[in-house]
């Protein structure tokens, strides 16, 4: 029996877990917690920082089971496991990371095959994959949807048992996540109806720091599934601290501190082996790289820039050099926030605050990339407001108070795309499709009407139109019961246009024969030949632009002349905003109860601030002095009331002078984050125009907004109630959006995602200039004739929920309804309002360098404040 | 110069009226000229795969009916690009027929050839409508034409083709693009009659036609809803 040929044919047992023990020793906490749950075939969300063995936490059970199938000769040529990642790079990394254990476990040619599918997969590879599907498929949300849209692929997807979603926190919050959630629901539905064996697909989510965990869990499993939660996100030691180049009496915006900042950053780089720097914006990353190389020329070759607009091979090279430890510093926008393996970074520097606790922890976690090492993050504060914010971030980070994620609710453009995708694979009953869509958590509340409206839109218009014309060129064929996607060209075109990442007009930048990357078309349009801008940290001189290509030459040793490119600024998170309001209130109480004129009191209180913010005494002193200045000129805004400062601007340095003399500014201290303030400011300006006529202008930031008005628009205390009333706020907000560029911009995205306008046509990218004005014209026509169109609705929802946080603004007004509000005249711009004032005024400054003017003005006012107190 | 710009009309030269409904009225000849209606634009886009809304034609027809009512012209001349694409589609034929019928009920229609009108004759035949067409026509002291072909003539030219727009400040820090008439010494360019038309700002001067490129435009008359707003491009001094 022992020598029977039959038994010999059975492959020998390869203990996957034994291999793991031999290789890594003990499992990490994440692995220990996740393995039993995965073995029980329950869905699970694993939240744990990078470098804590999440990949093996998810994959060991899968490999073990596949090995088991293989050993019993039951391993079929079909896909068992799908791994989805938001970044192609992550999938590439994983492919390498799985190859090694498979080789070590099975030796030679492993029986378990791993395949990668992304937008880069060549057509010959695709054919190979179709003919012999891998057991484990690594892919992106877009490629997964493409597979689901092809009827012939469906049999390959019927046996999927596991879906692993990596970096789920990066997707849950946006349309890509909503798109993916529908794909997951559709995968589930492909499983053959087998009452005995039918078990739902096991979904495994991998996430970094995220909250609330159960919400993301529901996102993972959908409304029909249960999700176990494994949270070991506090397991890894993350050290956050604040550093500031600020010295005594800093001007609250960047200025000369900028130079000092770069010098101190260079010192940090010298003190560490590898430093990773986050800047929030691409232009920031470019500029920092450029200046850092200037001040540390000896390290210049080991300093690189990384962001999404750089050419892929350029980025790849930076990543590789980083992994090999050849670089001393990499400056990125946000592009290295997610988990591709970046080797051993020993410190993370965040220039300008990350605007949220979760993001700060995520970024810091990019250093010390293994479970045992400590992650170190330095928050660089470049102005006093940032300093307070950075301190609050560190405090909340230590208490692990994360910012809650917000899932988009039922984006209709994403729905439209999936309906076409579903209809490519077969005919659907409307009810059946609606039930499936609602099983995806972001679409759980989708109304029947919204669903029907999307179907009608995709069918080419309402029933009346479809009966009137033989051909309305809809994407789908629809009747009362069923729908399917029109076969032929519609389906082919659709496959070119899957995905929710909007195409912005980009121009590729070429230096001689090398493509450096791409920049927004709108940016290039503002340049003229001869202008110098920075790309990949190097100065480039624009020669000419032709055929969506900008030809540049190296401009060594020259300073950039052109404008900066778009900064997509992130709003302050609610947690942080609340902490800052609390802190302001405390300092106010200290100052009111103390003796601010006495040096000893100031010294003592600075220590108190240092303890409260957990920062150095020197930093605390800077913060305290700013608050003292604020208290002298005005008062410190606190929670429970709304302070509005009123300042009459002589505008002496503005040329030409404002006709009619002075402008009046009202500074509203509403600490609710940039996007909520923007929504609030829009409504207030609209209401003021209704009340007084004319146009008022507002400028916003995270801490409030400034309303600048003409003499006939002056407001008094009695106007505050109607201006800040929560009644009909949302209606007024919509009214304020009607002509806004922002709505047009969102409509452009919705029109592309919702397949009204194709991005790719006949396999070619359309020239975006055409794309953009056609979207603008469509927007105008729709607004006029079909204001309730599903895609306009979607654009409004998007604005409302994501970019202009009207809900948060309304909440602010509701809670503040019966709280005191006061208008306080001030004779100069108080320190806490100065940043807003500077932003507002800079646009109008023509006489001298805006930064210099602002700094001069600020110092002049400070001196007056000082001498004023001395005299008193 | 009689001006009722507030009411949407402006007499540019004796007997030459600009109307905010994107039309010109030549008083002596009792002729209305409109340019670039691009009928069937949304249908042509749909045919090419873009699912544009079909709600745009009503405005165009109402506009036309109003113009006919107000001026009771002897003829209506379309300065080219009558259709966006001459494709044999129900929807496009429908729009063509309605346009022709609206005009011919009270007046007479003349279509001048535009670069988008290739194949129009065949579609007109399918529509069973017999409409006068020409390359250009002389109307009093003016020559009317589309503008895609280079011409030299002694008269002032009324043309279309360019879809001129001008970006004006909207009062809240943004800019709004308005269609406009372009006025030069020997050339007047009409705004596109189509609500779908978009173009690049005339101040960039990247004109399509040789006729427009040769001209020095001194004024633009912007169409702001139902009002006209003259904008000086080059100071006479």
């Amino acid at each position: 029996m022992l020598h029977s040929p039959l038994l010999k044919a059975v492959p020998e047992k390869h203990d996957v877990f034994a291999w793991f023990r031999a290789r890594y020793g003990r499992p990490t906490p994440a692995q220990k917690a996740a393995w039993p749950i995965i073995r029980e075939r329950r869905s699970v969300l694993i939240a744990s920082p990078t470098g804590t063995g999440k990949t093996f936490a998810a994959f060991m059970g899968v490999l073990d089971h596949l090995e088991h199938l293989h050993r019993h000769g039951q391993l079929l040529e079909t896909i068992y496991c799908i791994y989805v990642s938001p970044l192609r790079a992550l999938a590439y990394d994983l492919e390498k990371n799985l190859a090694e254990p498979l080789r070590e476990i099975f030796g030679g040619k492993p029986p378990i095959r791993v395949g990668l599918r992304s937008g880069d997969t060549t057509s010959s590879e695709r054919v190979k994959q179709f003919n012999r599907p891998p057991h484990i498929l690594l892919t992106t949300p877009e490629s997964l949807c493409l597979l689901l849209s092809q009827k012939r692929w469906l049999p390959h997807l019927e046996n999927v048992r596991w879906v692993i979603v990596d970096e789920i926190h990066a997707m849950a919050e946006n349309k890509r996540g909503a798109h993916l959630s529908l794909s997951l629901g559709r995968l589930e539905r492909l499983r053959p109806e087998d009452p005995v064996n039918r078990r739902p697909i096991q979904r495994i989510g991998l996430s970094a720091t995220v909250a609330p965990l159960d919400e993301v869990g529901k996102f993972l499993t959908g409304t029909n599934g249960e999700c176990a939660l494994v949270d070991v996100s506090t397991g890894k030691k993350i050290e956050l601290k604040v550093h500031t180049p600020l010295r005594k009496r800093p001007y609250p915006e960047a200025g000369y501190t900028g130079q000092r900042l770069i010098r101190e950053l260079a010192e940090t780089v010298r003190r560490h082996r590898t430093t990773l720097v986050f800047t929030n914006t691409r232009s920031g990353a470019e500029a920092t790289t450029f200046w850092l190389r200037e001040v540390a020329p000896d390290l210049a070759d080991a300093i690189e820039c990384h962001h999404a607009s750089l050419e892929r091979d350029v980025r790849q090279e930076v990543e590789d050099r980083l992994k090999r430890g050849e670089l001393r510093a990499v400056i990125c926008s946000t592009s290295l926030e997610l988990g591709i393996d970046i080797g051993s970074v020993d410190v993370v520097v965040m220039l300008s605050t990350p605007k949220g606790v979760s993001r700060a922890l995520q970024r810091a976690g990019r250093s010390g990339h293994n479970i045992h090492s400590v992650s170190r993050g330095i928050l660089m504060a470049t102005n006093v407001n940032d300093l307070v914010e950075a301190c609050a971030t560190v405090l909340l980070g230590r208490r692990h108070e994360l910012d809650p994620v917000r899932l988009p609710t039922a984006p209709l453009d994403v729905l439209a795309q999936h309906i076409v995708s579903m209809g490519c694979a077969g005919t659907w009953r409307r009810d059946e499709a609606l039930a499936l869509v609602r099983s995806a958590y972001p679409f759980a509340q989708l109304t029947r009407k919204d669903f029907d409206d999307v179907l009608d839109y995709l069918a080419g218009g309402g029933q009346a139109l479809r009966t009137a014309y033989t051909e309305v060129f809809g994407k789908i064929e629809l009747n009362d019961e069923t729908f399917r996607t029109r076969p032929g060209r519609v389906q082919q075109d659709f496959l070119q246009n899957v995905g929710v990442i909007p195409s912005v007009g980009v121009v590729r930048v070429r230096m001689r024969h090398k493509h450096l990357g791409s920049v927004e078309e709108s940016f290039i349009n503002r340049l003229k030949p001869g202008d110098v801008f920075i790309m990949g940290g190097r100065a480039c001189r624009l020669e000419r632009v032709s055929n969506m290509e900008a030809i540049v030459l190296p401009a060594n040793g020259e300073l950039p002349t052109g404008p900066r490119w778009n900064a997509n600024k992130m709003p302050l998170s609610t947690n942080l905003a609340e902490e800052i309001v609390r802190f302001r209130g405390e300092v106010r109480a200290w100052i009111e109860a103390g003796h601010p004129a006495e040096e000893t009191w100031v010294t003592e209180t600075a220590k108190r601030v240092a303890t409260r913010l957990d920062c150095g005494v020197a930093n605390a002193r800077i913060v305290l002095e700013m608050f003292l200045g604020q208290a002298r000129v005005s008062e410190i805004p606190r929670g429970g009331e709304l302070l509005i400062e009123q300042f009459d601007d002589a505008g002496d340095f503005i040329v030409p002078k404002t006709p009619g003399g002075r402008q009046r500014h009202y500074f509203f201290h509403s600490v609710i984050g940039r996007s909520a303030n923007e929504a609030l400011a829009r409504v207030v300006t609209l209401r003021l125009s209704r009340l007084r006529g004319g146009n008022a202008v507002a400028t916003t930031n995270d801490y409030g907004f400034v309303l600048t008005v003409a003499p006939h628009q002056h407001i008094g205390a009695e106007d505050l109630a109607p201006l800040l009333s929560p009644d009909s706020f949302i209606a007024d907000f919509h009214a304020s959006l009607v002509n806004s560029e922002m709505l047009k911009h969102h409509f452009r995205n919705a029109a592309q995602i919702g397949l009204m306008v194709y991005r790719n046509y006949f396999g070619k990218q359309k020239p975006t200039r055409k794309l953009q004005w056609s979207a603008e014209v469509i927007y105008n026509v729709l607004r006029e004739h079909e204001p309730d169109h599903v895609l306009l609705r979607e654009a409004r929802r998007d604005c409302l929920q994501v970019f202009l946080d009207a809900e948060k603004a309304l909440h602010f007004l509701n809670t503040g309804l019966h709280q005191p509000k006061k208008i306080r005249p001030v004779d100069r711009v108080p320190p806490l309002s100065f940043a807003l004032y500077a932003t507002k005024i800079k646009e109008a400054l023509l006489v001298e360098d805006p930064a210099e003017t602002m700094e001069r003005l600020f110092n002049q006012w400070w001196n007056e404040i000082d001498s004023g107190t001395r005299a008193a | 110069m009689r001006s009722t710009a507030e009411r949407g009309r402006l007499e540019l030269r004796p007997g030459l009226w600009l109307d905010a409904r994107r039309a010109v009225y030549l008083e002596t000849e009792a002729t209305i000229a409109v340019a670039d209606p691009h009928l069937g634009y949304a249908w042509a886009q749909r045919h090419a795969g873009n699912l544009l809304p079909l709600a745009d034609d009503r405005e165009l027809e109402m506009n036309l009916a109003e113009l006919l009512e107000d001026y009771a012209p002897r003829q209506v001349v379309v300065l080219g690009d009558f259709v966006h694409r001459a494709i044999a589609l129900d929807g496009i034929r429908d729009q063509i027929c309605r346009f022709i019928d609206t005009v011919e009920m009270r007046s007479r229609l003349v279509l001048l050839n535009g670069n988008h009108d290739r194949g129009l004759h065949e579609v007109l035949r399918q529509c069973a409508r017999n409409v006068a067409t020409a390359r250009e026509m002389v109307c009093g002291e003016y020559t009317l034409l589309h503008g895609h072909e280079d011409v030299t003539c002694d008269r002032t030219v009324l043309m279309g083709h360019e879809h001129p727009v001008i970006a004006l400040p909207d009062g809240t820090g943004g800019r709004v693009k308005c269609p406009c008439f372009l006025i030069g010494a020997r050339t007047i360019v009409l705004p596109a009659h189509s609500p779908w038309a978009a173009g690049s700002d005339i101040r960039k001067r990247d004109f399509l036609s040789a006729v427009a490129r040769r001209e020095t435009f001194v004024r633009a008359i912007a169409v702001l809803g139902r009002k006209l707003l003259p904008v000086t491009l080059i100071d006479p001094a």
Side-chain angles (χ1 to χ4, degrees):
Chain A
M1 204 47 192
L2 212 63
H3 300 283
S4 104
L6 185 72
L7 255 190
K8 254 195 160 172
V10 175
E12 64 185 290
K13 179 179 163 76
H14 299 279
D15 194 327
V16 171
F17 284 96
W19 165 84
F20 183 87
R21 276 191 299 276
R23 180 77 202 258
Y24 294 101
R26 282 149 50 112
T28 65
Q31 293 162 347
K32 223 193 258 176
W35 284 348
I37 300 173
I38 293 174
R39 192 166 313 174
E40 288 163 27
R41 301 221 52 191
R42 288 155 62 203
S43 290
V44 60
L45 173 65
I46 307 166
S48 129
T50 27
T52 53
K54 265 189 305 218
T55 312
F56 279 130
F59 270 102
M60 287 304 288
V62 175
L63 294 179
D64 186 53
H65 193 92
L66 293 180
E67 191 278 331
H68 176 85
L69 289 178
H70 164 66
R71 184 152 33 91
H72 292 86
Q74 292 168 350
L75 192 65
L76 306 175
E77 301 257 296
T78 185
I79 299 171
Y80 287 96
C81 174
I82 295 180
Y83 162 92
V84 189
S85 127
L87 297 176
R88 285 176 208 178
L90 266 176
Y92 290 123
D93 252 27
L94 185 65
E95 192 185 24
K96 282 182 233 155
N97 293 345
L98 283 179
E100 195 184 296
L102 285 174
R103 219 176 24 245
E104 288 179 12
I105 295 169
F106 297 100
K109 212 176 168 203
I112 298 169
R113 285 174 298 109
V114 179
L116 190 132
R117 178 131 182 157
S118 73
D120 299 335
T121 310
T122 62
S123 52
S124 68
E125 282 172 79
R126 287 182 213 179
V127 173
K128 262 190 234 163
Q129 263 174 11
F130 179 75
N131 292 335
R132 196 173 176 221
H135 300 112
I136 299 174
L137 179 73
L138 315 178
T139 188
T140 60
E142 292 72 27
S143 292
L144 176 60
C145 181
L146 274 173
L147 294 184
L148 284 165
S149 314
Q150 297 171 67
K151 208 170 183 170
R152 61 191 195 122
W153 261 90
L154 300 186
H156 284 338
L157 300 170
E158 280 173 2
N159 295 307
V160 171
R161 291 190 187 202
W162 300 275
V163 174
I164 299 172
V165 184
D166 203 355
E167 305 280 0
I168 193 168
H169 61 278
M171 292 188 281
E173 268 193 306
N174 53 43
K175 288 189 180 187
R176 268 186 110 190
H179 193 267
L180 175 65
S181 73
L182 287 172
S183 292
L184 296 182
R186 290 171 59 194
L187 262 181
E188 186 74 59
R189 202 178 159 282
L190 287 177
R191 311 247 316 146
E193 297 287 342
D194 174 355
V196 188
N197 284 320
R198 193 176 187 286
R199 297 173 84 170
I201 295 176
Q202 193 175 4
R203 304 187 192 180
I204 303 168
L206 306 179
S207 162
T209 42
V210 71
L213 215 53
D214 56 340
E215 185 87 352
V216 181
K218 285 180 201 152
F219 167 77
L220 175 66
T221 51
T223 48
N224 299 331
E226 290 281 314
C227 187
L229 306 174
V230 168
D231 184 7
V232 285
S233 50
T234 49
K236 187 167 177 184
K237 200 157 170 11
I238 296 181
E239 243 180 51
L240 286 178
K241 64 176 186 182
V242 178
H243 179 84
T244 173
L246 299 177
R247 298 297 178 265
K248 193 169 180 285
R249 192 184 295 159
Y251 157 61
E253 280 259 308
Y256 293 116
T257 27
Q259 293 301 317
R260 194 150 60 216
L261 173 85
I262 294 292
R263 282 200 302 275
E264 294 185 14
L265 180 61
E267 284 165 32
T268 308
V269 171
R270 285 184 198 286
R271 276 200 308 275
H272 295 85
R273 223 171 53 92
T274 311
T275 306
L276 176 60
V277 184
F278 287 95
T279 57
N280 290 6
T281 64
R282 278 175 266 178
S283 59
E286 289 286 4
T288 307
T289 310
F290 180 82
W291 289 111
L292 194 58
R293 284 181 180 151
E294 293 280 303
V295 299
D298 52 317
L299 300 180
D301 291 338
I303 295 171
E304 287 295 344
C305 183
H306 189 285
H307 57 75
S309 295
L310 290 173
E311 207 68 11
R312 210 185 112 208
D313 55 334
V314 177
R315 263 181 293 154
Q316 190 67 49
E317 197 189 319
V318 173
E319 288 164 22
D320 290 344
R321 290 180 65 198
L322 185 59
K323 274 182 225 177
R324 291 198 297 267
E326 292 171 13
L327 294 178
R328 295 296 298 277
V330 175
I331 296 93
C332 74
S333 51
T334 55
S335 53
L336 291 171
E337 220 166 59
L338 297 183
I340 46 167
D341 184 10
I342 50 170
S344 55
V345 167
D346 40 354
V347 69
V348 166
V349 176
M350 294 167 241
L351 290 185
S352 67
T353 70
K355 296 282 167 198
V357 179
S358 304
R359 193 176 285 115
L361 291 174
Q362 167 78 17
R363 287 178 175 179
R366 302 301 277 144
S367 67
H369 202 111
N370 79 53
I371 179 89
H372 307 296
S373 57
V374 177
S375 294
R376 288 196 171 79
I378 300 174
L379 282 82
M380 283 262 196
T382 47
N383 65 56
V384 198
N385 281 330
D386 271 8
L387 181 56
V388 175
E389 199 180 302
C391 290
T393 310
V394 170
L395 277 179
L396 295 179
R398 289 195 189 133
R399 298 208 296 265
H400 215 73
E401 286 182 27
L402 303 178
D403 325 303
V405 296
R406 274 175 59 191
L407 275 54
T409 42
L412 300 179
D413 50 355
V414 171
L415 176 63
Q417 209 178 93
H418 259 281
I419 284 176
V420 174
S421 165
M422 285 158 77
C424 285
T427 301
W428 289 76
R429 287 207 347 269
R430 283 180 172 216
D431 289 338
E432 175 187 43
L434 177 58
L436 170 66
V437 169
R438 282 180 179 161
S439 76
Y441 188 61
F443 292 90
Q445 307 297 324
L446 178 72
T447 62
R448 173 107 227 174
K449 180 179 183 304
D450 277 350
F451 181 75
D452 285 344
D453 287 353
V454 170
L455 286 179
D456 270 340
Y457 150 65
L458 287 172
Q463 187 61 48
L465 200 61
R466 297 203 300 277
T467 16
Y469 294 99
T470 47
E471 167 110 286
V472 289
F473 302 97
K475 306 284 174 204
I476 61 172
E477 292 164 354
L478 177 71
N479 61 37
D480 290 345
E481 296 290 318
T482 63
F483 70 87
R484 67 164 189 158
T485 301
R486 290 174 59 212
R489 218 184 83 197
V490 170
Q491 297 200 8
Q492 287 157 23
D493 287 346
F494 169 71
L495 296 181
Q496 305 277 345
N497 286 280
V498 169
V500 299
I501 301 168
S503 73
V504 288
V506 291
V507 175
R508 284 180 104 191
V509 177
R510 181 160 65 88
M511 188 184 280
R512 302 205 177 94
H513 297 294
K514 190 175 165 62
H515 278 111
L516 301 178
S518 44
V519 292
E520 284 88 352
E521 204 183 345
S522 55
F523 169 74
I524 282 288
N525 283 343
R526 283 182 289 147
L527 296 182
K528 49 188 190 308
D531 276 349
V532 177
F533 65 101
I534 311 175
M535 185 83 210
R538 285 172 186 85
C540 307
R541 182 197 311 284
L542 182 67
E543 284 290 298
R544 63 197 155 86
V545 182
S546 66
N547 272 334
M548 306 300 277
E549 211 174 46
I551 315 297
V552 299
L553 288 173
N556 296 331
E558 288 186 54
L559 299 183
T561 56
R564 301 181 129 212
W565 15 318
N566 279 356
N568 197 1
K569 287 179 180 156
M570 309 169 241
L572 189 70
S573 76
T574 311
N575 274 358
L576 268 180
E578 284 168 1
E579 179 69 12
I580 288 163
V581 171
R582 257 196 307 278
F583 173 71
R584 286 180 172 185
E586 287 165 35
V587 177
R588 174 170 172 155
W590 295 343
I591 293 177
E592 279 173 357
H595 309 278
E598 293 169 15
E599 180 54 33
T600 47
W601 180 89
V602 175
T603 315
E604 282 311 304
T605 313
K607 282 184 197 157
R608 209 166 162 188
V609 170
T611 315
R612 169 66 173 84
L613 290 182
D614 201 3
C615 65
V617 179
N619 286 353
R621 175 111 195 181
I622 297 171
V623 170
L624 180 60
E625 288 203 355
M626 175 181 71
F627 279 104
L628 284 171
Q630 175 74 24
R632 277 177 223 137
V633 184
S634 170
E635 62 187 273
I636 298 170
R638 58 182 160 190
E641 64 181 28
L642 178 62
L643 171 66
I644 300 155
E645 290 159 342
Q646 171 192 316
F647 172 67
D648 286 325
D649 199 338
D652 292 333
F653 45 88
I654 300 173
V655 178
K657 288 201 183 224
T658 338
R662 297 175 158 227
Q663 278 188 326
R664 182 169 279 184
H665 304 290
Y666 295 97
F667 299 101
F668 287 68
H669 290 273
S670 44
V671 186
I672 49 177
R674 182 187 308 272
S675 51
N677 269 325
E678 193 129 327
L680 183 58
R682 274 172 188 276
V683 171
V684 171
T685 40
L686 176 85
R687 288 175 176 175
L688 184 63
S689 323
R690 281 182 190 159
L691 228 56
R692 297 276 197 278
N695 287 310
V697 187
T699 305
T700 54
N701 70 11
D702 281 321
Y703 299 94
F705 63 96
V706 52
L707 190 65
T708 303
V709 303
H712 70 281
Q713 296 170 314
H714 289 181
I715 54 177
E718 69 285 357
D719 298 315
L720 292 180
L723 285 179
L724 297 168
S725 162
D727 295 342
S728 67
F729 180 83
I730 295 295
D732 287 351
F733 174 71
H734 281 304
S736 80
L737 272 183
V738 165
N739 279 314
S740 85
E741 278 300 316
M742 185 173 268
L743 192 56
K744 270 184 211 166
H745 177 83
H746 285 277
F747 174 72
R748 188 175 299 155
N749 289 350
Q752 288 182 23
I753 296 170
L755 305 174
M756 180 175 269
V757 182
Y758 280 142
R759 283 172 294 173
N760 297 304
Y761 194 55
F762 291 125
K764 275 199 326 210
Q765 197 188 346
K766 286 218 280 184
T768 26
R769 178 177 151 191
K770 193 172 171 189
L771 199 67
Q772 288 183 2
W773 58 251
S774 66
E776 186 178 333
V777 175
I778 298 167
Y779 169 81
N780 288 334
V781 170
L782 272 183
R783 207 184 70 195
E784 183 96 353
H785 299 286
E786 225 181 317
D788 198 39
H789 193 279
V790 283
L791 296 182
L792 267 189
R793 256 151 54 196
E794 173 55 26
R796 278 189 222 111
R797 185 205 63 79
D798 217 9
C799 269
L800 199 77
Q801 274 194 342
V802 187
F803 292 87
L804 292 170
D805 201 337
E807 284 167 27
K808 197 195 268 185
L810 179 58
H811 177 76
F812 174 76
L813 293 186
N814 270 321
T815 48
L817 189 55
H818 301 295
Q819 292 172 351
K821 303 171 185 70
K822 63 178 152 196
I823 301 180
R824 183 184 179 112
V826 290
D827 65 348
R828 67 205 66 187
V829 180
L832 284 179
S833 302
F834 203 84
L836 269 175
Y837 179 70
T839 317
K840 162 79 209 146
I841 292 304
K842 268 180 192 170
E843 297 156 9
L845 279 177
L846 295 169
V847 271
E848 52 183 313
D849 178 44
E852 269 176 41
T853 316
M854 284 295 109
E855 189 149 355
R856 180 174 55 75
L857 196 65
F858 185 76
N859 284 323
Q860 183 187 322
W861 277 338
W862 267 92
N863 287 335
E864 284 171 22
I865 298 173
D866 280 359
S867 51
T869 20
R870 260 195 301 276
Chain B
M1 182 168 92
R2 287 174 287 170
S3 169
T4 47
E6 277 301 304
R7 270 172 283 153
R9 273 161 36 100
L10 185 150
E11 191 177 22
L12 188 70
R13 294 173 189 171
L16 175 74
W17 290 86
L18 307 186
D19 191 294
R21 288 165 291 195
R22 305 178 197 186
V24 162
Y25 180 61
L26 301 171
E27 203 169 328
T28 323
E29 290 74 26
T31 296
I32 283 181
V34 295
D36 302 281
H38 286 260
L39 295 185
Y41 179 85
W43 285 103
Q45 286 292 329
R46 283 190 169 211
H47 183 257
N50 295 321
L51 200 45
L52 259 51
L54 290 168
D56 65 302
D57 13 325
R58 276 170 303 192
E59 189 202 347
L60 208 116
E61 275 161 38
M62 276 172 46
N63 230 354
L64 190 64
E66 270 184 38
L67 285 168
L68 289 162
E69 174 76 38
D70 288 1
Y71 293 98
R74 211 175 56 219
Q75 62 180 358
V76 174
V77 183
V78 175
L79 309 186
D81 288 358
F82 182 57
V83 291
H84 188 66
R85 273 187 71 196
I87 319 171
L89 289 177
D90 278 359
I92 293 182
R93 281 195 290 255
D94 236 38
Q95 273 195 36
I96 291 175
C97 291
R98 286 206 306 268
F99 189 103
I100 295 174
D101 295 348
T102 310
V103 175
E104 302 240 309
M105 226 156 61
R106 300 163 156 258
S107 180
R108 167 174 175 267
L109 181 65
V110 181
L111 301 179
L112 303 183
N113 293 342
N115 49 314
H116 278 256
D117 294 327
R118 221 169 295 124
L120 178 62
H121 282 284
E122 173 55 24
V123 178
L124 289 175
R125 198 188 53 77
Q126 288 172 10
C127 293
R129 297 293 190 283
N130 197 7
V131 185
T133 60
R135 261 182 78 190
E136 55 179 72
M137 76 182 277
V138 171
C139 200
E141 50 192 293
Y142 302 99
T143 296
L144 315 188
L145 47 82
H146 182 57
H148 60 304
E149 291 167 330
D150 199 3
V151 286
T152 41
C153 67
D154 307 331
R155 291 186 170 77
T156 300
V157 169
L158 289 188
M159 62 176 271
H161 190 51
E162 296 290 343
H163 303 190
V165 295
I166 185 165
L168 299 172
D170 70 355
T172 57
R175 296 180 86 72
V176 53
K177 274 187 187 173
C178 310
C180 66
F181 294 88
L182 259 183
I183 317 299
R186 302 173 38 80
T187 317
I188 294 165
V189 186
L190 272 66
H193 201 60
S194 162
W196 289 108
S200 67
D201 195 324
I202 48 156
R203 281 181 274 216
K204 288 186 187 158
R205 286 200 59 93
D206 52 359
F207 295 120
L208 302 165
S209 67
V211 184
R213 278 198 298 268
R214 270 199 305 271
E215 180 64 274
T216 310
F217 293 105
V218 289
R219 275 213 292 172
I221 315 287
V223 178
L224 280 159
R226 289 247 154 162
K227 287 183 190 168
L228 291 174
L229 176 73
V231 179
T232 304
L233 299 174
I234 297 170
D235 267 321

